[in-house]
Amino acid sequence: MFNQESKDAQDINELRRVRFNKLEELRQAGIDPFGGRFERNSFAGEIKARFNEMDGTKVKIAGRIMSKRRHGKAGFANLQDLSGSIQLYFRQDDIGVDNYELYKKLDIGDILGIEGTVFRTQKGEISVHVTNLVYLAKSLTPLPEKWHGLKDVELRYRQRYVDLIVNPEVREVFIKRSQVIKEIRNYLDNRGFLEVETPMMQPIPGGAAARPFITHHNALDMPLYLRIAPELYLKRLLVGGLEKVYEINRNFRNEGISTRHNPEFTMLELYQAYADYEDMMDLCEDLVASIVAKVNGSMVVEIDGQVISFRPPFKRMPMLDAIMEYTGIDFNSIASDEEARKAAKGINVSVNHNAARGEVINEVFEQLVEDKLIQPTFIYGHPVEISPLAKRNPKNPAITDRFELFIMQREIANAFSELNDPVDQRERFLKQAEKRAGGDSEAHMMDED
């Protein structure tokens, strides 16, 4: 029986054997296949962008060989660095027999230092005419075939270094992420916020409905939890008198894993004294729009074929209005838990047999509304049952002064007017503790502090 996986493994082993043979040949020729420092003075992207200025100049560049083709005593290769890629032209008469033999031994994935002259080929391709090459790292494992690329999602996420090599658009994501973090700090620092750090190991996990990772502190002989959110510690700083604080932090939630949900992730959390959820909504809108403009150069972005406009103002909808618009169910006219469960069943939304009205509302929203929210949209007025740390709305105590921002079917932000009534807060924590005792591992623990 033919086994494609076994054949692929044999092919890779054969390719590795050939590369190890080349490695030994280089060493026997007195060439270090894993060279050291190489001082470059140019980059591939820079040469292309400034060709009119750099035409005919001598350059020193370094990067990974991504393709190669030879024609007798001349040949080409494509070199990739962080800025992009550029064609290399090798000619035996110019670099000598020995260096041309080195070129012939090149494999896809090898890292080279190159000296040469910038020029344009007869076909119009901006290139570097190589005069000298230096091995900086011999690649012993072949890269995925260029015409197939790296498509296996699990392999891409487990071996991000390979993903970065063969999928240039992934590098752009990494670079933009770094730029976004930088601009978040600039935005908040310029508005008087103080960046802080809070504990990552906590005796009581709080600030979110999530299952924590558990570890043990040997010296204190006590269990500790990796934080699921920094919320309660940041609030303590406000109590202590720091009026504007933020943290860009790592959080850990022992839950499912997918390309959208990772057990370890980075989150921005900020707090401002003497403000409410509407102030936070305005700040969130301006923060997102400003950073998109700075990092992307435009307020309009295409994501997975959808054109998304980040121009303020973003759409704002009460949660119950959104449910009414997309399902036809008016929960404003439904008062009891039983009626709410019955309404959910009528539209094929499954809920727990004892789910409260607010929990039913949240299930209906998550199952039937979230995937309709493409453009930036603020959803506000969440039920109090699912918002244990948010302040009740003064006009309707069944809902809270809370919002979530959705873009492309995903929750991007969540904020609320902080509950500062200690009596109300304790009652909600007790209800959460009851849920936890009843088997809800994501419910909040009681935190007397």
Side-chain angles (χ1 to χ4, degrees):
M1 184 176 70
F2 178 74
N3 188 318
Q4 183 63 47
E5 187 174 329
S6 175
K7 182 180 183 302
D8 289 344
Q10 290 176 3
D11 290 345
I12 290 174
N13 287 335
E14 175 60 21
L15 289 172
R16 284 173 57 84
R17 186 189 65 78
V18 171
R19 292 188 179 211
F20 271 94
N21 288 342
K22 289 182 180 179
L23 176 71
E24 187 58 32
E25 290 173 5
L26 289 171
R27 284 177 168 154
Q28 289 179 358
I31 296 168
D32 183 359
F34 305 102
R37 182 176 182 274
F38 183 84
E39 187 173 348
R40 57 185 174 176
N41 59 19
S42 299
F43 299 89
E46 176 192 16
I47 293 171
K48 287 185 173 180
R50 298 175 51 209
F51 174 74
N52 290 337
E53 303 171 48
M54 301 186 70
D55 186 14
T57 62
K58 294 181 178 180
V59 294
K60 298 175 73 175
I61 58 176
R64 188 182 300 273
I65 298 301
M66 298 302 293
S67 66
K68 173 189 168 185
R69 60 193 186 280
R70 187 160 60 92
H71 305 284
K73 295 184 178 181
F76 297 89
N78 201 59
L79 180 142
Q80 175 178 286
D81 62 19
L82 182 61
S83 70
S85 62
I86 193 165
Q87 179 173 269
L88 305 178
Y89 173 61
F90 298 83
R91 188 165 173 266
Q92 179 175 304
D93 291 347
D94 297 323
I95 61 175
V97 174
D98 291 342
N99 268 340
Y100 196 72
E101 284 301 311
L102 286 182
Y103 162 73
K104 288 163 62 176
K105 285 183 170 59
L106 284 183
D107 286 309
I108 307 304
D110 288 355
I111 297 177
L112 299 182
I114 294 292
E115 297 180 43
T117 304
V118 176
F119 79 111
R120 191 191 293 272
T121 66
Q122 291 181 350
K123 293 184 177 181
E125 180 78 16
I126 296 172
S127 308
V128 173
H129 189 148
V130 178
T131 56
N132 191 38
L133 68 153
V134 179
Y135 265 93
L136 301 179
K138 177 67 183 169
S139 174
L140 300 177
T141 300
L143 294 173
E145 296 175 6
K146 64 179 181 179
W147 51 88
H148 291 147
L150 186 61
K151 302 299 183 185
D152 186 301
V153 174
E154 183 168 350
L155 181 60
R156 285 182 56 198
Y157 279 80
R158 288 184 181 276
Q159 296 183 304
R160 290 312 288 262
Y161 53 92
V162 181
D163 193 19
L164 286 164
I165 291 171
V166 301
N167 293 318
E169 67 276 8
V170 174
R171 290 200 304 277
E172 283 301 308
V173 172
F174 275 65
I175 292 169
K176 284 191 175 181
R177 182 187 186 279
S178 179
Q179 293 170 343
V180 166
I181 297 293
K182 175 184 176 183
E183 292 302 334
I184 287 174
R185 285 194 166 99
N186 288 340
Y187 182 96
L188 294 174
D189 291 347
N190 290 336
R191 284 158 180 78
F193 284 85
L194 180 69
E195 184 173 11
V196 298
E197 291 184 344
T198 61
M200 295 179 73
M201 293 192 297
Q202 304 174 353
I204 298 175
R211 181 181 299 169
F213 287 94
I214 306 172
T215 187
H216 187 81
H217 194 302
N218 290 333
L220 298 177
D221 191 24
M222 63 179 289
L224 288 175
Y225 302 87
L226 294 182
R227 70 175 171 208
I228 56 177
E231 179 168 337
L232 300 183
Y233 285 87
L234 289 170
K235 287 179 178 177
R236 288 178 172 96
L237 294 177
L238 260 67
V239 172
L242 299 181
E243 297 179 353
K244 286 183 171 183
V245 295
Y246 76 95
E247 184 175 8
I248 299 173
N249 56 81
R250 301 295 283 179
N251 294 285
F252 308 86
R253 298 182 182 179
N254 197 358
E255 299 170 344
I257 185 169
S258 72
T259 55
R260 288 193 172 200
H261 294 91
N262 197 42
E264 176 184 354
F265 63 95
T266 302
M267 179 170 67
L268 163 68
E269 193 145 338
L270 64 89
Y271 291 86
Q272 178 178 343
Y274 315 117
D276 64 11
Y277 83 112
E278 291 183 328
D279 295 312
M280 288 295 103
M281 207 182 302
D282 292 339
L283 184 147
C284 180
E285 181 178 84
D286 189 55
L287 170 67
V288 171
S290 298
I291 290 174
V292 168
K294 284 196 172 184
V295 173
N296 227 48
S298 171
M299 289 278 196
V300 178
V301 181
E302 184 173 330
I303 306 172
D304 296 335
Q306 291 277 0
V307 177
I308 306 299
S309 173
F310 288 89
R311 291 191 182 95
F314 297 167
K315 186 176 182 179
R316 303 185 180 194
M317 294 182 72
M319 178 177 277
L320 297 189
D321 287 3
I323 291 174
M324 178 70 177
E325 178 175 326
Y326 291 108
T327 71
I329 302 293
D330 183 8
F331 277 98
N332 286 307
S333 63
I334 298 174
S336 72
D337 298 342
E338 184 178 350
E339 286 180 289
R341 292 193 292 267
K342 184 177 179 181
K345 185 177 180 180
I347 52 175
N348 298 317
V349 173
S350 60
V351 296
N352 290 333
H353 70 281
N354 61 347
R357 174 179 175 274
E359 294 169 328
V360 174
I361 289 171
N362 187 58
E363 283 297 325
V364 171
F365 177 81
E366 288 186 348
Q367 293 186 38
L368 298 181
V369 179
E370 276 191 14
D371 64 353
K372 312 294 192 305
L373 304 177
I374 306 299
Q375 297 297 325
T377 304
F378 286 112
I379 298 294
Y380 63 93
H382 294 59
V384 69
E385 292 93 336
I386 63 166
S387 310
L389 302 173
K391 201 177 187 72
R392 292 178 189 267
N393 183 275
K395 295 180 180 178
N396 182 358
I399 64 174
T400 57
D401 287 344
R402 173 187 172 191
F403 73 81
E404 292 176 300
L405 172 62
F406 289 88
I407 304 172
M408 281 292 292
Q409 306 171 322
R410 299 190 188 192
E411 176 200 337
I412 301 299
N414 172 45
F416 41 83
S417 297
E418 297 296 334
L419 177 60
N420 57 356
D421 180 341
V423 177
D424 189 358
Q425 180 67 87
R426 193 171 197 282
E427 289 175 355
R428 295 198 213 176
F429 268 144
L430 286 172
K431 288 181 180 178
Q432 289 284 309
E434 288 175 9
K435 289 183 179 180
R436 192 173 186 87
D440 185 350
S441 61
E442 294 187 356
H444 289 247
M445 292 183 183
M446 185 64 190
D447 189 345
E448 293 286 0
D449 191 32

